[in-house]
């Protein structure tokens, strides 16, 4: 049996990360957080003090850096940046540089090379539509924006940030709009994806629902 690929796409705050991590743990697959790669690229671009709208400069900075992930830790040139990449500023910059084709090309090659090593659970915005169109099982998680903002707001408070709900909602809406309307690899429901609305579900309920579907699909 070759390596298996499970994809989970959807907007921010739908619970993709927790669920993808949980599935990877249960099945012994590698967890691939592709948003963390875009965030790491954004952090590198921000610290290189180049114009984030200059595609050529952005792609050059990324191709001359080593961005890697191991489980839920993210590294740039060997330095652990897992916490730094979670700020609101980097969330927004990641969504901006994710509109650039050369940036996506660099990061997609990292994503595909990880899938050659092992079975994976990959989460992001274009996993089932562009990066792994032949994935074994594809999911699309969704939830209403106020609920997604509420989750993100509580998460920020929990981490000790001084967050404001209204601001978090505005940021989520801005990011949704950019991720869904960009020309290259916009956030869409991939063909054959199973759509799960997580608005009224706990993370545990989403995890057991997805695991049940995966077990059925992989045993076929
Ligand atoms: O999943 P996340 O919120 O950590 O992702 C941060 C940004 O990265 C997101 O707003 C858009 C971009 N992204 C993308 O364009 N494609 C992916 N596969 C993953 C993330």
């Amino acid at each position: 049996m070759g390596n298996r690929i499970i994809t989970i796409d959807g907007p921010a705050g739908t619970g993709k990360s927790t669920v993808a991590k949980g599935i990877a743990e249960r099945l012994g697959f590698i967890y691939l957080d592709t948003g963390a790669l875009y965030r790491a690229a954004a952090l590198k671009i921000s610290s290189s003090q180049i114009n984030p709208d200059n595609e050529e400069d952005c792609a050059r900075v990324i191709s001359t850096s080593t961005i890697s992930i191991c489980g839920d830790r993210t590294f740039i040139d060997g330095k652990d940046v897992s916490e730094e990449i979670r700020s609101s500023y980097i969330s927004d910059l990641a969504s901006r540089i994710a509109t650039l084709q050369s940036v996506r090309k660099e990061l997609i090659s990292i994503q595909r090379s990880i899938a050659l090593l092992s079975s994976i659970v990959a989460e992001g915005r274009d996993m089932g539509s562009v990066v792994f169109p032949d994935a074994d099982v594809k999911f699309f998680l969704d939830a209403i924006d106020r609920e997604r903002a509420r989750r993100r707001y509580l998460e920020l408070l929990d981490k000790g940030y001084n967050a404001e709900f209204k601001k978090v909602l505005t940021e989520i809406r801005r990011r949704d709009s950019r991720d869904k309307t960009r020309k290259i690899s916009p956030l869409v429901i991939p063909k054959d994806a199973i759509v799960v609305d997580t608005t009224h579900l706990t993370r545990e309920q989403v995890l057991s629902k997805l695991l049940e579907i995966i077990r059925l699909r992989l045993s076929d």
Side-chain angles (χ1 to χ4, degrees):
M1 190 186 73
N3 288 338
R4 301 290 203 167
I5 300 178
I6 294 164
T7 61
I8 306 183
D9 289 300
T14 46
K16 295 188 303 290
S17 305
T18 320
V19 170
K21 246 185 257 177
I23 295 172
E25 240 166 60
R26 298 287 182 91
L27 303 182
F29 290 9
I30 280 184
Y31 162 57
L32 175 57
D33 174 4
T34 61
L37 293 173
Y38 285 90
R39 288 169 179 273
L43 181 63
K44 182 74 197 194
I45 285 164
S46 151
S47 61
S48 304
Q49 290 173 354
I50 55 164
N51 175 0
D53 295 319
N54 185 320
E55 180 159 1
E56 218 176 289
D57 282 355
C58 288
R60 183 181 38 79
V61 161
I62 297 168
S63 67
T64 53
S65 316
T66 307
I67 296 177
S68 57
I69 42 184
C70 183
D72 59 5
R73 309 307 294 176
T74 308
F75 302 86
I76 303 176
D77 300 326
K79 182 181 171 228
D80 189 337
V81 292
S82 312
E83 270 78 44
E84 263 176 278
I85 59 169
R86 298 290 156 193
S87 72
S88 297
Y89 175 71
I90 293 298
S91 300
D92 194 65
L93 188 59
S95 157
R96 266 175 72 190
I97 58 138
T99 62
L100 306 172
Q101 180 148 39
S102 337
V103 167
R104 301 200 71 84
K105 205 172 143 219
E106 294 288 340
L107 299 182
I108 285 177
S109 87
I110 300 177
Q111 295 158 27
R112 290 196 174 130
S113 67
I114 292 171
L116 294 176
L117 303 174
S118 162
S119 291
I120 61 164
V121 183
E123 61 133 319
R125 303 291 188 288
D126 61 343
M127 295 296 97
S129 55
V130 174
V131 185
F132 303 114
D134 300 322
D136 296 275
V137 194
K138 299 180 189 180
F139 293 101
F140 186 89
L141 300 191
D142 211 349
I144 58 167
D145 57 8
R146 289 191 78 81
E147 172 58 19
R148 293 189 285 114
R150 190 188 69 85
R151 292 173 187 169
R152 171 90 181 130
Y153 167 69
L154 293 177
E155 210 176 271
L156 288 170
L157 290 188
D158 194 46
K159 284 185 184 156
Y161 289 104
N162 192 7
E164 247 180 77
F165 176 76
K166 255 178 115 177
K167 246 176 141 178
V168 175
L169 180 60
T170 307
E171 279 169 14
I172 281 222
R173 284 181 173 156
R174 186 170 56 224
R175 214 140 63 89
D176 278 358
S177 154
R178 201 186 283 131
D179 295 347
K180 286 178 181 170
T181 59
R182 67 180 177 224
K183 287 205 183 79
I184 308 140
S185 307
L187 172 65
V188 290
I189 300 178
K191 186 174 163 281
D192 305 326
I194 300 154
V195 181
V196 178
D197 187 330
T198 71
T199 308
H200 303 293
L201 300 177
T202 63
R203 305 236 154 138
E204 291 70 33
Q205 287 172 322
V206 181
L207 177 60
S208 58
K209 194 180 169 97
L210 268 53
L211 276 169
E212 200 183 311
I213 297 170
I214 293 166
R215 291 207 170 104
L216 282 172
R217 288 284 186 95
L218 294 189
S219 66
D220 273 354

